[in-house]
Each structure stands twice: as structure tokens, then as C-alpha cells.
Amino acid sequence: MRPAGRMAGLRLSVIRAMNEGAPAGCVSLGLGEPSWDLPREARESLEAWAGPEGPCPYGPNAGIPELRAALADHLGVPDPGILVSAGSQGALFALVQAWAGPGDQVLLPDPGFLAYPTLARLAGAEPVPYPAAPDFSLDPGLFRAALEAAPRARLAIVNHPANPTGAGASRAALDEMYAACRDREVVLVSDEVYRELHLSERPAGLADAGVRPGAVVLGSLSKAFAAPGLRVGWAWGDSEVLAPARLVHNAMVSCLSRPAQAAAAALVGASDRILPRVRTQLAVRWEAFRSAARDHLGWDPPPPAGGFYAWLPLPPEARPDPGAFCLRVRDRGGVIVIPGSAFGPRGAAYARVSWAGSPADIVEGVRRLSGFWRDR
Ligand SMILES: Cc1ncc(COP(=O)(O)O)c(C=O)c1O
């Protein structure tokens, strides 16, 4: 038996593989998920769900009305402009399937979230990486140049604050990238799932001044709402862009889990209370990470525009084979970090360090890194 041709080259993500093969007692600075408690608003909703007897029916394809209303209020957009999805990954999959196919090109960041090229290939399209500025922020000039060199581009993805680098984008840069896509009728997907996780001012968003034709923005419960296990995300923006993606999403999952949607509605509805609490958790972890990095690595990490990743330069001897180096760090040092090469060739001189874990794990993990990084 032989799986379909588009499966060629599809592997378990390096992030999952690094975590799943880890020896016992390893500290993980590898996963991008919050370690603090699920907000009580969601817990109470889940407990209430289990209460009364009765069926657990399918829901509407578009999502339960309470969640749609909570999102419309939170995002400040009318309901038809929102696609409720199985994580933001579900929206990404549906958007790429809906707007790119065999012979088309999809622009994506290098380094960038490793699902992007996989999703392009699964749609039969060609992933076309574009570079960032030297400080890893989004560079509209480099983006436009890559777009000009991609005559068959149908869709482009920007991610800010970025996974894996933590870098952001200025409002002017976002406007310029949007204009470049608009000129070519290329759909622009702005992945902003880390936007609410900021240490100082809130980073710019693509649609801050309102919905833009040809563009959509991604959000998620997984990061700022500390609920990755609920698997609820959303895309919002131009309803013409969302309409075919909605059909793909219906074909994928029919509808989301009802208990998860009810909990999502409770979380989104309480965002004014929850997001400040979450940012307090983030600040505690950032302080733990920054002081451990200074003490154990002699490195003063730059604060991210948002999110909980540090982009740590590799020691020179790691550079010929970053993957093998990070495996040594894991198996001999007992700590997981992700080789930057997993995020694209332009990430090869770095490792991604997640400081989303508990403060104790962050400090212990960074201490374990010191033997591999210090005095080299
Ligand atoms: C940049 C980015 N976008 C999207 C996702 C998908 O997240 P989820 O499907 O949990 O919303 C992730 C997950 O790590 C991510 O880092």
C-alpha cells in the first residue's frame, strides 16, 4: 500500500519529535504552550456542561451563537466576518486549501511557524519563503521583492509577534505589505495569535483600522487565553476571503466540540479580566528567564514584541548540524530547545527557547543549557 503522493516529505514536526523522544527527567523549553492554570471562567463552564442530563448534539457549522457573539464583541467586527475554527491551525488549513492549489505559490516567513510550508504543500502549492530584516522584524521591502519574484502567488502569510523569533512589525510595515498584496490580488493572512501576550505596549495589528478587503487575521485561545487543549481559534476579516474557507472547515470537522465552544465563549466574554491576569503570568516568566539567561548564559535576551519565545544564537560549533547539537543538549544536558533550522534555513544559526513553562523549570532549564553555551 502507498499513501497519496502529497504525503511525500510529510513528517512529525521537529517540535513534537524533540519532545516525544526525550529521556525521563528532561526539562522542556521546547513547547509553545502556557503552563499557568486554565482561567476559572473556562473551568466553571466545563463543570457546568457536565451537570444536567441530556444529549450532546452537534452544533451549527458556524459555531454556537454565544461564542460568535462574544468574538464579535471582543474583535469589534460583525458576525459574518468571523470563522470559528479548530484552533487557529484549523483556520490556516482551511484558508490555504481554499485559496491555493497545484501550480500556485504561497508566501511565508523564513524563519517561520513550521506548519506554514506543510499546509502549502498539502494544498499542492509551492511554499515561497521570504526573509525578515536582520533583527528578524517584518521587512516590507524584502516581502515585496519576494512577492514580485513569485508570479503565481495566491496567498501570503505574515506572523507578528513571530514564532520563533518574538519579533514584531510596525503599523507602517503592515500597511506596506498589505498594499503589496492588494496590488497583486493576493490574499493576506495575518497570524496574530501571540498579539495579546505582550510585556509592554500592545503590538500593532493588521486590521486595527477595520476590516481590509482581501485580508484576514488569525486569533486563538491557545496562547493568551491559556487554553490550547480546547482547540478553539478564529479568523476574522474580509467575508469574501472567509466564505470558501468556511466550506473547507465544514468538510474538515463539521463543527467544533460544544463544551469547548461554551468554555471559549466564557473566556472571550471575560477577556477584559483574563488578559491582564495572563500578562502578569507572562511578566513573571520573562523575569525568571531574563535573569537566568544573564546568570547562566551570560546573555541579555531582547524583550519580544509578544509571545514567550527567545531566539538564542547557537555556539559556533553547533552550526554545522544544529539538529544534532540540540539532540545532544536534550540527551546529555536534559533540556529541550528547538533547533532554529526547523523553522527554515534562515533560522539555522539559532535555537528557539520557550519560556512559557513554570518559573522553576525555566530557571533549571536555562541552568542546564549553560554547559553547552557558556565560555565557548
Ligand atoms: C504562529 C502560530 N500560528 C498558529 C498556531 C496554531 O495554534 P492553535 O491551532 O493552537 O491556535 C501556532 C501554534 O503554536 C503558532 O505558533
Side-chain angles (χ1 to χ4, degrees), residues 15 32-33 85-92 112-116 159-164 191-194 218-223 227-229 231-234 308-309 352:
I15 301 176
E33 63 181 3
S85 56
S88 59
Q89 181 101 4
L92 267 171
F113 179 43
L114 36 76
Y116 300 147
N159 172 218
H160 56 103
N163 175 10
D191 183 341
E192 302 182 5
V193 299
Y194 295 99
L218 300 182
S220 177
L221 286 189
S222 300
K223 313 297 177 180
R231 304 309 300 130
V232 177
W234 52 88
F308 34 54
Y309 303 118
R352 190 191 78 174

Side-chain angles (χ1 to χ4, degrees), residues 177-368:
M177 286 185 280
Y178 173 69
C181 289
R182 206 61 199 137
D183 289 348
R184 287 271 309 279
E185 296 196 349
V186 167
V187 168
L188 180 59
V189 176
S190 185
D191 183 341
E192 302 182 5
V193 299
Y194 295 99
R195 186 179 182 195
E196 303 300 341
L197 285 174
H198 50 87
L199 294 163
S200 50
E201 76 263 34
R202 189 167 181 246
L206 178 74
D208 282 350
V211 167
R212 294 177 159 200
V216 294
V217 176
L218 300 182
S220 177
L221 286 189
S222 300
K223 313 297 177 180
F225 288 93
L230 291 181
R231 304 309 300 130
V232 177
W234 52 88
W236 62 279
D238 184 353
S239 42
E240 200 184 318
V241 174
L242 294 176
R246 227 184 274 289
L247 297 176
V248 176
H249 198 267
N250 289 354
M252 284 163 63
V253 296
S254 303
C255 59
L256 302 186
S257 143
R258 262 183 184 268
Q261 289 190 76
L267 285 172
V268 175
S271 57
D272 289 353
R273 291 198 304 277
I274 291 172
L275 295 177
R277 293 198 316 247
V278 163
R279 289 195 274 267
T280 306
Q281 297 285 352
L282 190 74
V284 167
R285 282 157 179 79
W286 168 245
E287 284 313 321
F289 177 71
R290 186 166 64 167
S291 71
R294 281 177 182 157
D295 292 351
H296 298 299
L297 307 177
W299 184 52
D300 200 3
F308 34 54
Y309 303 118
W311 196 224
L312 174 63
L314 287 174
E317 70 272 22
R319 295 191 184 172
D321 192 345
F325 175 77
C326 288
L327 279 176
R328 265 202 319 281
V329 170
R330 183 190 78 178
D331 296 341
R332 294 195 205 149
V335 54
I336 299 171
V337 296
I338 308 299
S341 49
F343 302 93
R346 291 185 181 90
Y350 294 82
R352 190 191 78 174
V353 182
S354 166
W355 44 271
S358 71
D361 275 359
I362 294 168
V363 173
E364 175 58 16
V366 175
R367 192 191 65 73
R368 292 184 188 187

